[in-house]
Amino acid sequence: MEQKSKNISVNIPLTMLKAGQEAKIVTVKTEDNQKLRKLAAFGIFPGTEIQVIQCYPSIVIQAGFTQIALDSEIASEIIVNLNN
Amino acid sequence: MQHNTLNYDKDIENLIFRLVSHLNSDYAFSKRSVATMLLQEDEEIWELVKQNDGSNYNEIRAMINEFKKNTSESVLYQISRTQQEESKKILQKVMTVDKNSGSKLAKIVNKLTINPITGIPLLLLVLYYGFYQFVGVFGAGTMVDFIETNIFDEMINPYINQFVNGLIPWKVVSDLFVNDYGIITLGIKYAIAIVLPVVGCFFLMFSIIEDSGYLPRISMLMDRVFKKIGLNGRAVIPMTLGFGCDTMATMVSRTLETKRERVISTFLLALAIPCSAQLGVILALLSGKPMAMAVWLVFMVLIFMLIGYLTSKVIPGEKAGFYMELPPLRMPKLSNVLKKTYVRMYWYFKEVLPLFILASVLIWVGNITGLFEVLVRYTVPVVNMIGLPDKTAEIFLFGFFRRDFGAAGLFDMQSSGVLNGRQLVVAAATLTLFVPCVAQFTMMIKERGWKTALAMCAFIFPFAFAAGYLLNKVLVLWGINLG
């Protein structure tokens, strides 16, 4: 959580990334514990480095060896920090 | 055997230790695991603890809440991170990553399957060759033709008819086993000659697609479309399985996350998804008439989307988000595919054969008592209303026992050339929409409860005929010639 305040300017929702861009997950903005838990099981939690593979019809990201498809609602709750 | 336990952060370990001491009951897994899952707020585990260690429940809750208040990062993330780091360490010991080996081709194929521009044509190709050509034309056409005509009608049935009629001089009794509706000449013949090859082909195809890792990619491509009907991409799996066996698919729909999705998918499976035997027979029936096939297909897709859309507006409840792992595409292993196909066919056959036999027996009883005739007489005006000849009434009654049973009967009729193109389409569409078979209805009750299952049937029954009526009227009015 403390990472959030470090450089707030480049923290953006995952939905704003383009295919090929890399980023680091900063936070997952949801109150839904089940969702958080399941996403965490895929490795989606703060600190994970991801790369966007595709944006439409679903957002597909690569996290480690895992490829995950997400709809845009969930992707918009995942806040990432762009690696420049 | 040595167990490797994960070592979490010291504070978490202390808390787990204290939690374990408050768990007194026996759980199916270690108390340490229970404690860890409590910390991750797993609702099912909390429920389990409430039931088994109710007296300590409040204290456990308070301990965890207190701990969470005093930690900066979420406990869930701390645990997940430790777990992931540990699994990475294990992975490094046992796996080497060769960055150059074949990964390029795999990457390209992966992109082709998930990019909608190439992925959707690819999906249509898979459906066309896998289902239409293999299940429909080869399974329901070539194989059924051979087994039904060459083996049963020419070799087995005449011999058995003669044998049993000679053995049992009373026609009333021998009718139970042979002749028009006998257990052997109708029930077993339908099961082995029509249903077995079609269902076998479907399950073989489904197992190949499943093992290749392609299904989640279909989910991903279809997510947006499925959202329009109150479901999400996850429902692609039960829906696709429904094209094999709606009963099995109704059972699988329990894997969907929300109750709303489970209800909608159960309903759509019962209404608009034809099972493989039905589909195979319908494809075979209409295969010589491309216009008729197109009309049936468009009509079914329209009904599926329209009713799905309306249902999603009517049924309350929250929408479930879509997130799914896309496993790497792999070449399916033949032995695994065959084993899966065998197990599914075994499950199906164990389920279907007794019902086919029961249907034969019931028809026999119905014939003797005259009850069947009465039912047929009541059904005749209904089928006439949708433009079908009297004889189809029987088929709709068969269809009540099993979807495939009705479709198989329709196939028999078509062979004798009673129906024209328009009647075939109307019969095929109505039969597809028509009530779920007895087995599916039983599963609906089991999974969704009496009330929901009955309410669904109460809608489907008149709706199927109303839709058939409308389709027939439109085809007649527009004077569409379907051969």
Side-chain angles (χ1 to χ4, degrees):
Chain A
M1 304 283 162
E2 72 269 25
Q3 294 165 357
K4 212 171 172 180
S5 51
K6 242 192 285 180
N7 43 10
I8 205 153
S9 58
V10 282
N11 284 352
I12 51 170
L14 182 55
T15 36
M16 286 176 72
L17 296 190
K18 293 187 188 76
Q21 274 188 306
E22 288 175 26
K24 189 189 259 182
I25 295 174
V26 176
T27 181
V28 182
K29 271 198 333 202
T30 173
E31 298 297 311
D32 183 346
N33 268 319
Q34 299 301 307
K35 202 194 273 179
L36 276 180
R37 200 161 49 77
K38 283 174 187 165
L39 288 175
F42 289 142
I44 299 183
F45 49 73
T48 304
E49 308 253 353
I50 56 116
Q51 187 186 17
V52 177
I53 308 280
Q54 172 180 312
C55 303
Y56 189 90
S58 304
I59 290 149
V60 180
I61 58 169
Q62 181 91 40
F65 292 110
T66 315
Q67 256 182 31
I68 304 141
L70 307 156
D71 66 18
S72 49
E73 274 151 55
I74 292 181
S76 68
E77 291 167 346
I78 300 173
I79 307 300
V80 297
N81 187 287
L82 268 179
N83 299 347
N84 293 315
Chain B
M1 205 174 102
Q2 196 200 332
H3 290 282
N4 290 321
T5 41
L6 287 165
N7 285 314
Y8 298 108
D9 179 82
K10 204 172 88 237
D11 294 336
I12 294 185
E13 284 294 341
N14 280 336
L15 179 62
I16 290 176
F17 183 77
R18 283 195 294 142
L19 286 173
V20 166
S21 70
H22 281 75
L23 296 168
N24 301 323
S25 304
D26 264 332
Y27 293 87
F29 26 85
S30 77
K31 286 177 184 169
R32 186 183 159 85
S33 305
V34 175
T36 325
M37 285 189 271
L38 287 176
L39 278 173
Q40 293 174 83
E41 300 297 340
D42 188 313
E43 277 165 17
E44 277 172 49
I45 297 293
W46 272 105
E47 197 50 42
L48 208 65
V49 169
K50 202 176 196 173
Q51 281 166 20
N52 292 312
D53 278 302
S55 54
N56 286 338
Y57 180 86
N58 286 335
E59 209 174 328
I60 292 172
R61 184 76 267 182
M63 274 159 66
I64 292 179
N65 285 351
E66 178 65 24
F67 182 82
K68 285 190 171 169
K69 226 191 291 170
N70 297 322
T71 43
S72 54
E73 200 199 11
S74 107
V75 184
L76 168 68
Y77 288 155
Q78 290 188 52
I79 290 175
S80 301
R81 185 164 296 126
T82 312
Q83 287 174 346
Q84 211 183 40
E85 274 161 13
E86 191 61 30
S87 65
K88 266 187 198 154
K89 270 186 219 156
I90 298 171
L91 205 60
Q92 271 169 0
K93 280 187 217 157
V94 295
M95 190 174 91
T96 47
V97 183
D98 185 351
K99 286 213 163 92
N100 304 315
S101 77
S103 63
K104 218 169 188 179
L105 180 70
K107 257 189 186 161
I108 293 171
V109 175
N110 180 41
K111 283 218 167 143
L112 288 177
T113 58
I114 61 175
N115 187 321
I117 297 166
T118 47
I120 288 176
L122 205 68
L123 175 60
L124 293 176
L125 275 181
V126 169
L127 292 177
Y128 178 77
Y129 282 104
F131 292 103
Y132 179 70
Q133 287 294 343
F134 184 66
V135 182
V137 177
F138 175 72
T142 318
M143 274 174 80
V144 169
D145 254 2
F146 177 75
I147 301 176
E148 199 194 15
T149 316
N150 297 22
I151 297 183
F152 271 88
D153 288 351
E154 285 172 15
M155 289 160 68
I156 299 177
N157 283 2
Y159 176 75
I160 288 193
N161 278 344
Q162 200 184 1
F163 178 75
V164 175
N165 284 331
L167 198 70
I168 307 169
W170 306 283
K171 190 162 184 311
V172 178
V173 182
S174 64
D175 271 352
L176 176 60
F177 301 100
V178 293
N179 302 331
D180 281 355
Y181 303 111
I183 291 175
I184 302 169
T185 44
L186 185 85
I188 294 181
K189 183 185 100 169
Y190 275 3
I192 294 177
I194 299 185
V195 176
L196 186 69
V198 180
V199 169
C201 286
F202 176 85
F203 284 147
L204 182 66
M205 187 48 61
F206 190 80
S207 304
I208 292 173
I209 291 176
E210 190 181 30
D211 277 17
S212 67
Y214 189 53
L215 277 177
R217 287 166 172 80
I218 306 180
S219 293
M220 188 221 90
L221 287 171
M222 298 300 287
D223 180 52
R224 277 171 194 266
V225 178
F226 271 55
K227 287 246 171 73
K228 300 254 188 299
I229 54 171
L231 298 168
N232 71 37
R234 208 172 286 276
V236 162
I237 291 167
M239 287 299 162
T240 317
L241 194 58
F243 287 108
C245 173
D246 282 303
T247 311
M248 202 185 260
T250 304
M251 192 171 78
V252 169
S253 69
R254 70 166 72 147
T255 58
L256 299 175
E257 253 171 286
T258 64
K259 192 183 168 206
R260 181 170 182 263
E261 287 174 281
R262 292 193 287 270
V263 170
I264 295 177
S265 56
T266 303
F267 181 57
L268 287 175
L269 281 168
L271 178 74
I273 304 285
C275 68
S276 65
Q278 229 180 359
L279 192 63
V281 173
I282 287 168
L283 291 181
L285 279 178
L286 304 178
S287 64
K289 303 176 168 65
M291 246 322 256
M293 172 92 75
V295 169
W296 175 79
L297 190 69
V298 170
F299 184 70
M300 291 316 300
V301 172
L302 276 179
I303 295 274
F304 180 82
M305 292 304 293
L306 178 73
I307 296 299
Y309 176 77
L310 293 176
T311 313
S312 75
K313 293 278 166 226
V314 174
I315 294 182
E318 57 180 312
K319 291 171 192 149
F322 173 71
Y323 47 96
M324 193 180 248
E325 188 184 346
L326 302 180
L329 287 167
R330 291 202 171 94
M331 192 55 89
K333 240 175 108 177
L334 186 67
S335 59
N336 287 352
V337 167
L338 291 179
K339 203 185 280 172
K340 270 189 187 179
T341 310
Y342 170 76
V343 169
R344 287 191 172 125
M345 280 177 76
Y346 181 79
W347 182 91
Y348 183 85
F349 225 63
K350 222 175 65 185
E351 164 121 346
V352 68
L353 200 58
L355 282 160
F356 269 47
I357 291 171
L358 178 72
S360 286
V361 174
L362 286 175
I363 291 169
W364 177 73
V365 172
N367 268 331
I368 292 179
T369 56
L371 186 70
F372 190 60
E373 230 171 277
V374 175
L375 283 175
V376 169
R377 211 181 306 141
Y378 279 116
T379 320
V380 165
V382 183
V383 296
N384 285 342
M385 202 177 75
I386 61 173
L388 298 176
D390 295 1
K391 187 106 174 57
T392 36
E394 233 170 74
I395 288 163
F396 280 97
L397 284 176
F398 284 179
F400 193 73
F401 287 103
R402 285 203 62 93
R403 287 175 164 237
D404 35 30
F405 208 71
L410 199 62
F411 191 73
D412 259 2
M413 259 184 95
Q414 151 75 2
S415 316
S416 52
V418 189
L419 302 170
N420 66 28
R422 173 175 47 83
Q423 290 171 322
L424 266 179
V425 171
V426 173
T430 314
L431 209 61
T432 316
L433 295 171
F434 192 46
V435 270
C437 66
V438 171
Q440 188 180 357
F441 185 58
T442 319
M443 188 61 79
M444 285 164 73
I445 295 170
K446 209 172 126 198
E447 294 288 321
R448 301 288 94 82
W450 267 105
K451 263 199 217 156
T452 315
L454 278 178
M456 286 178 183
C457 281
F459 174 83
I460 292 170
F461 204 86
F463 179 82
F465 285 99
Y469 177 80
L470 203 71
L471 179 63
N472 183 53
K473 274 277 172 277
V474 168
L475 291 176
V476 171
L477 265 177
W478 290 354
I480 297 171
N481 185 15
L482 300 170

